Amino acid sequence: EADIYQTPRYLVIGTGKKITLECSQTMGHDKMYWYQQDPGMELHLIHYSYGVNSTEKGDLSSESTVSRIRTEHFPLTLESARPSHTSQYLCASTSTTFLPEKLFFGSGTQLSVL
Amino acid sequence: TQLLEQSPQFLSIQEGENLTVYCNSSSVFSSLQWYRQEPGEGPVLLVTVVTGGEVKKLKRLTFQFGDARKDSSLHITAAQPGDTGLYLCAGAGANSKLTFGKGITLSVRP
C-alpha cells in the first residue's frame, strides 16, 4: 500500500485565487512527480524533482510552480488560478533504487476553477 | 515524441467474459508498465515487462510484451466487476521517463 498523500482531495475556487496542492510521502523516495490528468487524455508530466532543492519542468507547459525543501514534501502552487487550470492533479513518487522505475501515486486533487 | 496508442478506448462486458486490450507504439521501449486506476484514486502499478516476448501473469490477468518491445497486450480471463477501472500503459524510453497512453475504460457488469 502506497504511503503518499495528497490534500485536498477536491477544491473549488474562484478565478484569481492562489492555491497550493499538498503532496507528502513517507517512503523516503528521492524522486517525486506532478502529473495532470484530464478525461480521455494521457497523463502529462508537469513537474518533477530528483531530490531536495532540485525541481524541473515536465513535458507539459504549466503555470504552476513547485518546491522541494524536504524529501517527503512536494507542494504545487498556482499563483492565480484560471478556469483552464481545472483538472485532476496526481502526485507520484519513486526511488532511484527501483529498476525499472515504478511509480506510487497519491489519490489526486480534483481542482475546479470557476 | 513517443506515443502510446491504447485500444479499445472503452469496453463494457458481462461478468465471466474474456477480453484482450492493447497498447501499441512505433517506438521501442526499455520497459512497459500497466497501471489500473479506480474512480477517485490514483493509478496502481500492476506489472512491469522488460524483455521482448515476455509474458507475466497476475491471477486472471496475463500481460505480454511484444517481441520488438513496441507493444503490449493485457488479457483478462473470466472478468469480474472488481476488474472495472481505467487501464493505463506506460513505456519507459532511453532516459527512463515514462510516457503514458490515454487509457482503456473497462466496465464489467454483474
Side-chain angles (χ1 to χ4, degrees), chain B residues 26-89:
Chain B
S26 57
S27 303
V28 175
F29 293 101
S30 58
S31 65
L32 194 137
Q33 299 177 334
W34 285 89
Y35 291 80
R36 181 170 64 210
Q37 184 177 19
E38 297 182 12
E41 298 298 329
V44 175
L45 180 66
L46 296 173
V47 76
T48 301
V49 285
V50 179
T51 307
E54 182 178 4
V55 176
K56 279 193 173 179
K57 292 192 175 184
L58 183 66
K59 296 183 181 177
R60 293 174 294 98
L61 278 61
T62 302
F63 304 85
Q64 183 162 9
F65 202 11
D67 291 339
R69 290 187 287 127
K70 293 181 179 182
D71 51 75
S72 179
S73 63
L74 160 59
H75 180 81
I76 301 179
T77 302
Q80 298 178 2
D83 296 326
T84 292
L86 178 68
Y87 288 79
L88 297 163
C89 68

Side-chain angles (χ1 to χ4, degrees), chain A residues 9 37 42 48 101 106-107, chain B residues 33 35 37 40-42 97 100:
Chain A
R9 290 291 303 273
Q37 183 180 34
E42 304 90 337
Y48 61 98
E101 188 168 281
S107 297
Chain B
Q33 299 177 334
Y35 291 80
Q37 184 177 19
E41 298 298 329
K97 284 189 180 178
F100 282 86

